[in-house]
Amino acid sequence: MERVWGAGAVLVALVVLGAPPAAGEELSGVFQWMRKAECHFIDGTDCVTFVARFIYNREQLVHFYSDVGNVVGDTPFGEIQARDWNSQTEELELVQAMVDTFCRHNYEISTPFLLSRR
């Protein structure tokens, strides 16, 4: 009975997310949720941009650019998520701080190693 509930939950998630039907093929049951964090450096640590991308099954739902300062939806579902995330000002401040805590910090740690490999 638990497998039936689990399969039902997956089906509801697929319908909500707008996934296309399997066209007669059996679903594999493999789903991928990915968050990619990137740091873009121009002139060392003078000009740094933090980019976070949220991807579900190879489709980017939302992204965050520290230069813009808020979450932007890339799909209709992503726009709903972006509105919710942008309403949480404390969380936005934490993500905005990633420029210093993640990007600049890792740049200072990895630069001596990377420059010696040239």
Side-chain angles (χ1 to χ4, degrees):
M1 187 68 176
E2 291 177 20
R3 295 182 92 190
V4 173
W5 285 107
V10 169
L11 181 59
V12 168
L14 287 173
V15 171
V16 169
L17 293 174
E25 298 177 15
E26 190 167 328
L27 294 174
S28 68
V30 176
F31 301 98
Q32 183 181 41
W33 172 253
M34 183 185 323
R35 176 183 182 219
K36 289 189 172 190
E38 305 170 7
C39 296
H40 299 206
F41 299 98
I42 299 173
D43 297 331
T45 59
D46 291 336
C47 184
V48 180
T49 302
F50 173 73
V51 181
R53 303 174 192 280
F54 297 87
I55 301 162
Y56 179 77
N57 280 356
R58 292 182 274 165
E59 181 178 26
Q60 182 171 308
L61 300 177
V62 296
H63 66 274
F64 173 86
Y65 282 97
S66 61
D67 291 345
V68 176
N70 61 1
V71 179
V72 178
D74 297 316
T75 65
F77 180 71
E79 290 174 4
I80 295 168
Q81 297 302 312
R83 278 194 298 272
D84 180 50
W85 291 349
N86 287 331
S87 69
Q88 302 173 20
T89 55
E90 290 179 1
E91 294 295 323
L92 278 178
E93 290 173 3
L94 286 174
V95 176
Q96 187 71 32
M98 294 292 276
V99 170
D100 292 321
T101 59
F102 179 69
C103 294
R104 286 193 174 101
H105 173 74
N106 287 334
Y107 182 88
E108 293 168 2
I109 290 173
S110 60
T111 299
F113 170 75
L114 294 174
L115 290 178
S116 67
R117 294 185 55 105
R118 283 189 184 179

